[in-house]
Amino acid sequence: MKMKKRALLVGYFLFTIMLFNFTFGFAAALTDNNSFVISGLNEKITIDDADNDGIDDNFENLNKRKIEVDIFDNEAIIQSIRKGTEMKDLIRTVIGYGENGVEIQIGYKSNLETDFEITFRLVFRELIEFVDIDFNGIFDPEVDKRIQNYSLKDFSPISYEKVVIQDASFLHHLSIKTVSNNFTLNVYFAEEFTVVENSLINPTQAKIDIEIANFNYLNDSSQIALYTSLDSESVFQRHDDTEDEENGYAKTERGIATVVDDYTGFYSWNESGIVDDNSQNIPVSDILPDDFIENGKKMYLNYPRGVNIYHSSKIGIEGLLITEEFPLLGLVLLLIAIGAVSSIVAYSVYHQKKSKPRVKIKRRYRDKHRILKSQRHEPVMLFDSKVALQILKEEDAIRNLYDKGDINITAISNDFYETIDNFGFKGNEKSEFIKEMLSLRPFERELILRDMLIKFQ
């Protein structure tokens, strides 16, 4: 019995582990962008992705936003509010352009009625033509030779278009360029996940494509650096791995981030760009003190010499994408809980059943006779009744009984065995119980049987 009990306990434990591994594997597989595999079944199930952007439609619907764009003389205001949920938040982007270049300011508030929890900005200020003296590909004012500063200040009116992605979701495209067409920013805001120029962008960020064309180089061996100012009430730090890389939405990205009140603003860029139709590495300098903004910072985006330069980057707020709690994640957690509770309850019921106290009967006499059980499950006797009657019929019966020593002669009622059968004893339990009962006096047996009948009914 101990071995059987131990085996059942081990079985319940292994069952719980198996169920946990199954549900954990199922939950982990849900993080894949295109499909998930149920562990143990080797069956690949494709996600719902009607627009073929690699994002599950349910997850995409949870993160859709409503974007409104207002354009003024030299400024555009873009407000993005979450759709379809009671948790309304706001991402506000202001793009201004003029004498100081192109300024992009991001603000975020988690509640429409509160103040902005985080604001930060960057300014694309000027192009610097330089000769790379130390051949590291990065402009260093202390080492490299500066050829010219090309200020970004004369701009054409902003161009804006609104394109349908699908259903009631839109892609908003703003184009800001200098009058000379040497420098252009194409800025994209999407109300849902969408692919633009081979890059996936999500609704909590904006895609910024930098284009430099037909720059008037003054030196035959020079290249260009884009002076970029950074401003935040907190520090900026370089990140080798961006949020999009961690989520599997992008590859070969680098970036900077600033954290204010647990909210993270970021600017990221592709490590390579297209220079005259060829992919080339785009080195970026360290973060340095800024020359124009008090307590501000700066960095240089460095481009190899070329006629047409194209470089992709992004700006936005991290950590705003929400996941579906039910039925996907909620179902997984529910399965884990049910599996664990079921195993505990099953073992508890078994343990309680096996450990239920049996009725203990006090033995008054030591039984010297074996109780036999017939193969046909007939009533069990202390000894053959014919032998007992023969002794009583002989002469000097009392003396003969005395000579045989201690012999217990017990009278049993007709319904005794029928009553015992109602208890459903298994194996040799019935024989042991009868042995205990026959060692008692009749009134003791009657009290015990009556008590047992009450408890088992």
Side-chain angles (χ1 to χ4, degrees):
M1 291 297 295
K2 290 183 178 181
M3 292 297 295
K4 183 177 180 181
K5 182 176 179 181
R6 184 180 302 172
L8 285 173
L9 176 60
V10 173
Y12 287 129
F13 179 72
L14 293 177
F15 171 75
T16 304
I17 294 177
M18 180 184 69
L19 184 60
F20 176 79
N21 288 335
F22 174 85
T23 50
F24 180 80
F26 179 76
L30 292 177
T31 61
D32 183 73
N33 292 331
N34 298 308
S35 62
F36 59 85
V37 178
I38 296 179
S39 177
L41 297 182
N42 294 323
E43 180 181 353
K44 194 171 185 179
I45 304 176
T46 305
I47 63 173
D48 295 327
D49 183 16
D51 53 359
N52 296 317
D53 56 10
I55 304 299
D56 178 73
D57 291 339
N58 293 327
F59 176 69
E60 194 163 14
N61 289 332
L62 283 173
N63 290 284
K64 284 185 177 180
R65 306 183 74 89
K66 176 65 176 178
I67 295 177
E68 295 182 355
V69 179
D70 295 309
I71 299 177
F72 304 97
D73 291 338
N74 62 342
E75 184 179 74
I77 299 177
I78 301 92
Q79 299 197 94
S80 172
I81 299 176
R82 190 187 302 276
K83 281 184 178 180
T85 178
E86 296 180 357
M87 187 182 70
K88 300 291 186 181
D89 60 358
L90 171 67
I91 304 174
R92 186 174 187 265
T93 305
V94 179
I95 304 177
Y97 49 95
E99 292 291 329
N100 296 321
V102 182
E103 176 180 313
I104 302 176
Q105 178 174 291
I106 307 290
Y108 175 76
K109 56 172 65 177
S110 58
N111 189 307
L112 301 181
E113 306 301 324
T114 62
D115 295 330
F116 287 99
E117 280 97 350
I118 179 175
T119 59
F120 71 102
R121 63 174 175 152
L122 61 83
V123 182
F124 297 113
R125 193 172 296 278
E126 62 184 6
L127 295 173
I128 300 173
E129 181 186 0
F130 71 100
V131 176
D132 188 14
I133 301 300
D134 56 5
F135 301 102
N136 66 353
I138 297 175
F139 176 59
D140 184 346
E142 304 296 328
V143 177
D144 297 326
K145 182 179 179 180
R146 187 192 302 259
I147 304 300
Q148 68 166 314
N149 287 25
Y150 183 84
S151 297
L152 305 176
K153 60 181 180 179
D154 297 322
F155 292 90
S156 300
I158 191 169
S159 173
Y160 168 67
E161 64 176 339
K162 182 178 179 181
V163 180
V164 176
I165 301 175
Q166 66 167 349
D167 300 331
S169 295
F170 297 92
L171 174 69
H172 304 264
H173 174 209
L174 294 85
S175 181
I176 303 169
K177 61 177 62 179
T178 59
V179 173
S180 63
N181 292 328
N182 294 136
F183 181 82
T184 302
L185 288 182
N186 288 297
V187 187
Y188 300 89
F189 296 87
E191 296 183 349
E192 65 174 65
F193 285 87
T194 190
V195 178
V196 177
E197 300 293 338
N198 298 319
S199 295
L200 178 70
I201 57 175
N202 73 58
T204 66
Q205 60 189 206
K207 175 178 168 62
I208 303 175
D209 291 341
I210 301 168
E211 296 184 24
I212 302 171
N214 301 309
F215 183 81
N216 185 21
Y217 294 95
L218 301 181
N219 186 285
D220 293 338
S221 58
S222 63
Q223 62 186 84
I224 299 173
L226 176 57
Y227 186 119
T228 305
S229 295
L230 309 171
D231 187 25
S232 172
E233 61 183 279
S234 183
V235 298
F236 286 91
Q237 293 183 338
R238 288 283 298 266
H239 285 184
D240 292 335
D241 297 315
T242 67
E243 182 185 48
D244 279 357
E245 284 184 310
E246 293 174 352
N247 291 333
Y249 302 152
K251 296 180 179 179
T252 64
E253 282 189 344
R254 295 290 179 92
I256 59 172
T258 179
V259 180
V260 179
D261 293 336
D262 296 327
Y263 295 98
T264 302
F266 77 93
Y267 175 69
S268 64
W269 57 87
N270 199 306
E271 292 184 89
S272 62
I274 304 299
V275 180
D276 294 339
D277 297 327
N278 296 312
S279 177
Q280 295 198 39
N281 183 51
I282 306 299
V284 178
S285 72
D286 293 333
I287 299 174
L288 306 168
D290 189 62
D291 300 336
F292 298 91
I293 301 175
E294 185 178 1
N295 299 322
K297 300 296 180 181
K298 70 177 178 181
M299 66 180 184
Y300 297 104
L301 304 175
N302 301 272
Y303 300 106
R305 187 186 184 94
V307 177
N308 294 294
I309 300 170
Y310 170 85
H311 188 212
S312 178
S313 61
K314 299 173 186 174
I315 192 170
I317 306 294
E318 292 184 357
L320 300 185
L321 298 176
I322 59 176
T323 57
E324 187 173 17
E325 296 183 356
F326 192 85
L328 294 180
L329 180 58
L331 178 60
V332 172
L333 297 177
L334 181 62
L335 287 174
I336 295 176
I338 291 175
V341 172
S342 298
S343 298
I344 294 172
V345 170
Y347 174 71
S348 299
V349 171
Y350 168 80
H351 182 72
Q352 182 179 8
K353 181 178 179 181
K354 288 301 180 181
S355 59
K356 185 175 181 179
R358 297 180 181 178
V359 178
K360 295 184 179 180
I361 304 173
K362 182 179 179 181
R363 299 190 63 173
R364 295 174 57 88
Y365 305 97
R366 183 176 300 275
D367 185 11
K368 296 183 180 181
H369 302 277
R370 180 178 299 174
I371 299 179
L372 301 177
K373 183 177 180 181
S374 69
Q375 295 180 352
R376 296 182 180 180
H377 305 287
E378 295 177 354
V380 180
M381 303 297 182
L382 281 172
F383 52 85
D384 193 338
S385 60
K386 294 182 179 180
V387 175
L389 291 175
Q390 184 65 32
I391 295 175
L392 294 175
K393 290 179 180 180
E394 294 177 353
E395 295 182 1
D396 298 327
I398 300 301
R399 181 179 295 276
N400 291 335
L401 289 174
Y402 179 81
D403 292 339
K404 290 183 177 293
D406 293 336
I407 296 179
N408 294 327
I409 300 177
T410 304
I412 302 298
S413 63
N414 293 331
D415 60 350
F416 175 77
Y417 292 103
E418 294 179 1
T419 301
I420 292 177
D421 288 338
N422 292 329
F423 299 140
F425 289 113
K426 297 180 180 179
N428 63 350
E429 292 180 350
K430 182 177 179 180
S431 298
E432 293 295 330
F433 180 77
I434 293 176
K435 182 187 294 185
E436 297 283 352
M437 293 294 289
L438 294 182
S439 66
L440 302 177
R441 289 177 293 180
F443 80 93
E444 291 177 324
R445 288 198 301 272
E446 184 178 354
L447 290 176
I448 292 174
L449 289 176
R450 184 182 303 170
D451 182 64
M452 290 178 63
L453 284 173
I454 294 174
K455 289 182 178 181
F456 275 88
Q457 286 179 351

